[in-house]
Amino acid sequence: CTVDLILVTSGMTYWYRSAHEAIAMCREIFPETPVLLGGIYATLFYEFAKQHAGADRVFKGESERAILEFVKEKFELRSTKTYTGYDDYPLPAYHLYPKLEYVGMMTTRGCPYTCSFCATHEFTDVFKRRRPQKVVEEIRCYAEKGIRNITLYDDALFVNAERHIKLILRDVISEKLNVNFHTPNGLFAKLLDEELAELLVESGFKTIRLSYESKNPERQKQMRKVTDTDLERALNNLERAGFPRNKVTIYLIMGLPDQSPSEVRDSIRYVHELGARISLSSYSPIPNTPDWNSAVRDYGFPSDNPLMTNKSVYPLKNARFTEADFNRLKNEAITCNRLIRNNEDQSISDYNVYA
């Protein structure tokens, strides 16, 4: 068969070798076909990818329009269609799969917040929302195909809720679309009011994870996303709506350049006292963020090795926050979750995990 163009996308930065191998395979099978690379790895390690990936061209950030222009120029195509937003592009090609149990969706791109450890701004310069009716059309399409589980990967799903997610969920409920929603990305607890909690439960949300990150007041002030009061209110609203708080997962972060073990421990114990589950995320430096600059400057973190951005390693250990601290805190979070899962009423301090 003849292939005119091959587009390769990349996920996590530390999966970069898979992208390189995919490109090498394409080269072997279709040696004359141009190969383009885009996605997360290509954006965050742009120069590295240009040098090592083996693609004919590497795109960074939001590249749909740039790729369309490349295709038009490459093949001398003319098009009168104007793409002004995400809803002008066709739906993902999930129909090519013979059987699917779930699909991924995004109803927004970007985030209005600027956390020091996050690189969302590298992928899109402004926060943008899709049209609610178009989102519902996409959900309806999947529901009609028998796909029941939909994972929402928005970074800021609840922002402008009255004009966005609430409208979407009301239509999902009124049309009785019978789907299950899952949110692996942390939701903003500050914006989770009583009405939104009720809509989440009624529309079919089965996985709810909230961003909290830290109990440190100064860090909360810096991030501007959530306070202790916001988190407690959100958990109360979800519980009143019928979503048990011991089914809610709260994201905490560990290992930031200026973070102490006691800050992480206080955060773990606070969330445990609230009766929620803990997801302790190990910090991994991400290029072009303030914390990346600190990691490179203060800790000698290698700036040219995507493999080191894997959160399974602890690259910033020091006398103030050792690898032993790192492991003890992970064990404490695991113990807390076991107690919550088994509905045991013991205080985590009874276990003296961090002795």
Side-chain angles (χ1 to χ4, degrees):
C1 66
T2 300
V3 176
D4 295 319
L5 192 65
I6 298 174
L7 279 67
V8 178
T9 189
S10 60
M12 299 297 184
T13 51
Y14 45 86
W15 294 343
Y16 74 96
R17 290 180 177 174
S18 297
H20 293 192
E21 290 174 7
I23 292 170
M25 291 173 61
C26 293
R27 289 280 190 222
E28 183 177 348
I29 300 171
F30 303 103
E32 304 300 322
T33 303
V35 180
L36 312 184
L37 174 66
I40 293 173
Y41 153 61
T43 296
L44 295 178
F45 282 90
Y46 180 67
E47 295 299 331
F48 185 95
K50 284 173 59 179
Q51 183 177 353
H52 299 288
D56 291 286
R57 183 163 173 181
V58 178
F59 292 83
K60 63 189 302 186
E62 292 182 295
S63 50
E64 290 97 338
R65 294 184 189 180
I67 290 174
L68 285 172
E69 291 302 317
F70 174 89
V71 170
K72 287 164 62 176
E73 181 178 343
K74 173 74 176 176
F75 299 102
E76 298 181 347
L77 301 176
R78 293 184 180 181
S79 174
T80 58
K81 184 173 178 57
T82 301
Y83 295 92
T84 59
Y86 308 130
D87 291 317
D88 296 324
Y89 300 113
L91 294 180
Y94 289 129
H95 63 280
L96 297 177
Y97 291 87
K99 183 179 179 180
L100 277 179
E101 296 182 357
Y102 73 94
V103 296
M105 279 186 63
M106 293 183 71
T107 76
T108 63
R109 278 192 188 177
C111 180
Y113 297 96
T114 55
C115 294
S116 60
F117 51 81
C118 182
T120 295
H121 60 276
E122 290 293 302
F123 305 106
T124 178
D125 53 351
V126 295
F127 176 63
K128 306 169 187 176
R129 304 191 307 271
R130 292 178 57 190
R131 296 191 291 275
Q133 63 271 26
K134 287 292 186 178
V135 175
V136 176
E137 286 179 16
E138 184 174 352
I139 295 171
R140 186 188 306 119
C141 174
Y142 300 141
E144 290 173 350
K145 294 180 184 298
I147 299 171
R148 291 286 171 257
N149 293 289
I150 297 176
T151 303
L152 299 174
Y153 286 99
D154 298 56
D155 287 316
L157 186 65
F158 290 171
V159 170
N160 297 320
E162 297 293 340
R163 292 180 291 169
H164 189 67
I165 189 61
K166 288 186 178 181
L167 300 179
I168 294 168
L169 298 184
R170 289 183 191 123
D171 283 351
V172 168
I173 294 167
S174 65
E175 294 188 28
K176 300 180 181 178
L177 294 182
N178 189 26
V179 293
N180 301 321
F181 291 110
H182 307 274
T183 57
N185 290 10
L187 304 171
F188 293 168
K190 177 186 288 188
L191 306 178
L192 211 171
D193 59 27
E194 289 186 30
E195 182 187 25
L196 182 52
E198 292 171 357
L199 289 171
L200 294 177
V201 173
E202 191 174 354
S203 63
F205 273 70
K206 303 301 181 185
T207 306
I208 295 179
R209 300 183 179 185
L210 303 178
S211 290
Y212 177 62
E213 315 305 358
S214 173
K215 186 171 172 54
N216 184 316
E218 290 303 314
R219 202 174 303 283
Q220 291 178 5
K221 184 177 180 180
Q222 174 203 23
M223 292 188 296
R224 300 184 294 113
K225 288 198 305 185
V226 64
T227 64
D228 293 356
T229 300
D230 296 328
L231 180 62
E232 292 176 22
R233 184 185 301 115
L235 288 171
N236 290 336
N237 289 339
L238 286 170
E239 195 166 48
R240 279 193 292 267
F243 200 99
R245 64 175 58 213
N246 65 355
K247 300 294 184 183
V248 181
T249 298
I250 309 299
Y251 277 123
L252 302 178
I253 195 165
M254 170 175 66
L256 292 169
D258 63 343
Q259 200 171 32
S260 67
S262 61
E263 176 186 336
V264 181
R265 181 179 56 184
D266 291 346
S267 304
I268 290 172
R269 297 192 173 190
Y270 173 66
V271 172
H272 179 68
E273 290 170 0
L274 293 179
R277 298 183 182 185
I278 297 162
S279 179
L280 187 59
S281 299
S282 306
Y283 167 68
S284 55
I286 302 175
N288 303 324
T289 64
D291 284 340
W292 166 272
N293 295 333
S294 175
V296 173
R297 180 185 66 245
D298 302 332
Y299 294 85
F301 186 81
S303 60
D304 59 350
N305 188 348
L307 196 60
M308 289 298 292
T309 59
N310 190 334
K311 68 175 184 178
S312 64
V313 301
Y314 180 40
L316 303 184
K317 62 182 179 182
N318 56 78
R320 185 164 168 262
F321 201 138
T322 67
E323 190 171 358
D325 294 323
F326 186 85
N327 291 328
R328 279 195 291 264
L329 290 165
K330 285 199 298 186
N331 289 334
E332 178 157 338
I334 290 169
T335 301
C336 286
N337 286 341
R338 178 175 60 78
L339 294 174
I340 292 296
R341 184 173 59 251
N342 296 338
N343 291 316
E344 297 181 34
D345 199 26
Q346 293 98 325
S347 169
I348 186 62
S349 60
D350 296 338
Y351 288 80
N352 201 28
V353 176
Y354 198 83

